[in-house]
Amino acid sequence: MAGLIVVGAQWGDEGKGKLVDVFAANADVVVRFQGGANAGHTLVVNGKKTVLHLIPSGILRPETACVITAAVVIDVFSLAEEIRKLKATGYLQNPKQLMISDSATILLPCHKAIDAARETDLSEGKIGTTGKGIGPAYEDRAARRAILFGDLYDPKSLMAKLDYTLKEKNHLLKNLYGVPEFSAAELFQQLQTVAEELAPYRCRDSSSVVNRALKAGRRVLFEGAQGTMLDIHYGTYPFVTSSSTLAGSACTGAGVGPTQIKNVVGVFKAYATRVGSGPFPTELKDEVGKKIQADGHEFGSTTGRARRCGWLDLVALKYAIRVNGITNLALMKLDVLTGHDKVGICTAYKLGDEILQDLPTSPYELEKVEPVIEYFPGWKEDITKITTLKELPRNTTSYIDYIISQVATPIDVISIGPGREQTLWVKPLFNN
């Protein structure tokens, strides 16, 4: 059984967590392959909400193994708290269910301090970072100075690395940003405490675990964080995250070959949202946008920030399909568009006198485009309780059919609410 990758096909917050949780009913292993605690995957099971930031969304299925790979940056204090909350609500009772790669990068409080100080220091052109320290942590990895998860269990190495990294970090914090420094000795003690708590989940070689599962014919699901338009290389740079969010990074992040992948599922909302700064062509700064925001509860599960809302952008979606090699689509939060007299879809961009069918590579050009919107009749019927596709209102199916006709990629999953049971299947993707 080859692997299946789930990626966000917009600006993040598409509903990947719910989809992975649903898929996990038939998955043996769920693998988180990039990002950090800046992700926020919200799951609703039996009416109860669980928000995950670092732990794979398969964790709510006791029989599903979950792996955090070497390409993830881990705030160990946040992770420990996440584990405590799960255990308190009856999940993660078996420590063998969760495996954390020894090679994953540790995100320290000084990374958060630098992240926040940089954003504060910018008078204009702010990125809109979550302030979770993700960028500075990945910088340390690229600069070959990162502290790894395995270092937590080698006290001598850990202390030496803390001294080394804080020499630079404290200089920046004190002399450039004028904020408090960090004590290596205090951080060492804090890390030693949390290391003991996380020791049962330690995995020396997560790549070997994932490859053995694939070789044995087990069903492996790769879960991404954020979305295509926030990719460090192919997103709306510099208004992006600090890792690669594309399907290709699932292979490098998890340490598996591309021949192990069978399908790539792109997750997108029936509309579009974006958190933070950066170009967002279909943004609605009117009452329609406010209604979508309110009906969709569009507030960040990590930061609580209000998400900017707009009509579905097919130019961006087609781009996501191309750069990820998306084979199947999952349409999320379709129910949120209920109650509008008309619903819009962006079919192209206008830049001056030119009509663009492809996404501009320059974010500054993207900031200037005007969306070409085609409107469709809305629907008033409540679709949150239907159980079959044929029960969808005619106007709703017309909306879906138009999207499929434009992107030439099948929509095989449709979500009509936050619960597991509020999922309509056009074609099963991960059940055998």
Side-chain angles (χ1 to χ4, degrees):
M1 179 71 190
L4 183 147
I5 300 172
V6 173
V7 293
Q10 294 168 311
W11 281 267
D13 307 307
E14 299 95 348
K16 296 180 294 298
K18 175 195 168 170
L19 189 69
V20 170
D21 172 62
V22 171
F23 279 170
N26 298 300
D28 298 303
V29 184
V30 177
V31 181
R32 172 73 183 274
F33 62 82
Q34 50 78 221
N38 55 337
H41 291 172
T42 302
L43 315 177
V44 178
V45 180
N46 298 324
K48 186 173 182 179
K49 183 168 77 171
T50 301
V51 180
L52 300 172
H53 300 284
L54 281 161
I55 296 175
S57 299
I59 204 70
L60 302 191
R61 307 276 186 176
E63 68 283 357
T64 303
C66 293
V67 180
I68 298 175
T69 71
V72 178
V73 292
I74 300 176
D75 177 345
V76 289
F77 304 105
S78 174
L79 177 60
E81 179 60 25
E82 203 168 309
I83 289 172
R84 290 183 209 118
K85 288 180 179 179
L86 283 169
K87 293 175 73 172
T89 51
Y91 297 110
L92 193 51
Q93 299 303 298
N94 180 3
K96 292 182 178 179
Q97 189 189 1
L98 177 64
M99 290 164 273
I100 306 168
S101 172
D102 257 6
S103 300
T105 298
I106 296 298
L107 187 153
L108 299 168
C110 59
H111 292 128
K112 292 183 177 181
I114 287 176
D115 201 7
R118 284 176 177 168
E119 192 77 354
T120 301
D121 195 55
L122 290 171
S123 57
E124 56 183 55
K126 293 181 184 291
I127 301 299
T129 173
T130 60
K132 297 293 182 180
I134 309 300
Y138 274 118
E139 286 174 26
D140 274 2
R141 185 72 181 219
R144 300 175 294 280
R145 61 170 70 236
I147 295 172
L148 306 184
F149 187 72
D151 291 329
L152 297 180
Y153 305 97
D154 184 341
K156 185 177 179 181
S157 172
L158 177 60
M159 191 67 215
K161 286 192 171 185
L162 280 171
D163 281 332
Y164 178 61
T165 196
L166 285 178
K167 182 178 180 181
E168 178 194 49
K169 299 292 186 294
N170 282 336
H171 179 79
L172 289 172
L173 291 168
K174 178 182 178 181
N175 299 307
L176 182 60
Y177 299 118
V179 296
E181 301 172 90
F182 287 85
S183 162
E186 289 180 8
L187 263 182
F188 177 82
Q189 291 301 323
Q190 293 167 8
L191 289 169
Q192 286 286 282
T193 300
V194 79
E196 184 177 349
E197 192 174 350
L198 297 177
Y201 312 103
R202 184 182 178 192
C203 174
R204 286 175 171 77
D205 187 353
S206 62
S207 169
S208 177
V209 170
V210 177
N211 275 279
R212 283 200 306 268
L214 288 164
K215 189 175 181 180
R218 301 181 73 195
R219 295 162 293 191
V220 180
L221 179 60
F222 298 85
E223 177 184 19
Q226 292 85 45
T228 298
M229 303 306 294
L230 299 180
D231 181 80
I232 186 69
H233 302 295
Y234 292 96
T236 54
Y237 189 89
F239 304 100
V240 294
T241 192
S242 302
S243 62
S244 177
T245 62
L246 302 187
S249 67
C251 295
T252 53
V256 303
T259 54
Q260 302 278 24
I261 305 303
K262 181 181 180 182
N263 291 96
V264 178
V265 178
V267 186
F268 74 104
K269 288 175 181 169
Y271 49 99
T273 64
R274 175 165 198 163
V275 173
S277 307
F280 185 34
T282 66
E283 183 171 10
L284 293 165
K285 299 180 180 180
D286 56 12
E287 293 305 312
V288 175
K290 290 179 181 177
K291 176 175 170 54
I292 293 173
Q293 185 185 80
D295 292 349
H297 306 289
E298 294 298 348
F299 300 90
S301 51
T302 296
T303 63
R305 292 181 296 178
R307 297 175 185 140
R308 300 153 64 190
C309 297
W311 296 126
L312 177 63
D313 187 337
L314 290 189
V315 180
L317 183 57
K318 290 176 185 177
Y319 176 78
I321 291 169
R322 169 163 62 88
V323 296
N324 286 289
I326 289 171
T327 56
N328 313 80
L329 289 166
L331 171 57
M332 312 301 285
K333 303 188 83 165
L334 181 62
D335 53 296
V336 174
L337 291 186
T338 298
H340 292 269
D341 293 328
K342 60 181 182 179
V343 291
I345 295 179
C346 172
T347 59
Y349 298 151
K350 185 177 181 182
L351 183 61
D353 295 328
E354 186 180 3
I355 298 295
L356 305 179
Q357 299 294 336
D358 295 319
L359 192 84
T361 56
S362 164
Y364 307 105
E365 281 192 350
L366 190 58
E367 195 77 69
K368 298 175 184 176
V369 302
E370 297 177 21
V372 177
I373 304 292
E374 184 161 343
Y375 289 97
F376 298 82
W379 58 92
K380 306 291 185 180
E381 300 92 333
D382 178 11
I383 63 172
T384 60
K385 296 178 177 63
I386 69 173
T387 57
T388 63
L389 290 166
K390 64 182 181 181
E391 295 176 73
L392 286 171
R394 182 182 297 275
N395 287 351
T396 314
T397 56
S398 296
Y399 181 76
I400 297 169
D401 290 342
Y402 180 80
I403 296 169
I404 296 171
S405 72
Q406 295 301 300
V407 300
T409 305
I411 295 175
D412 290 321
V413 189
I414 298 171
S415 176
I416 52 170
R420 283 175 175 172
E421 71 286 355
Q422 293 173 297
T423 307
L424 304 177
W425 293 93
V426 178
K427 184 180 76 174
L429 290 177
F430 204 53
N431 64 348
N432 54 49

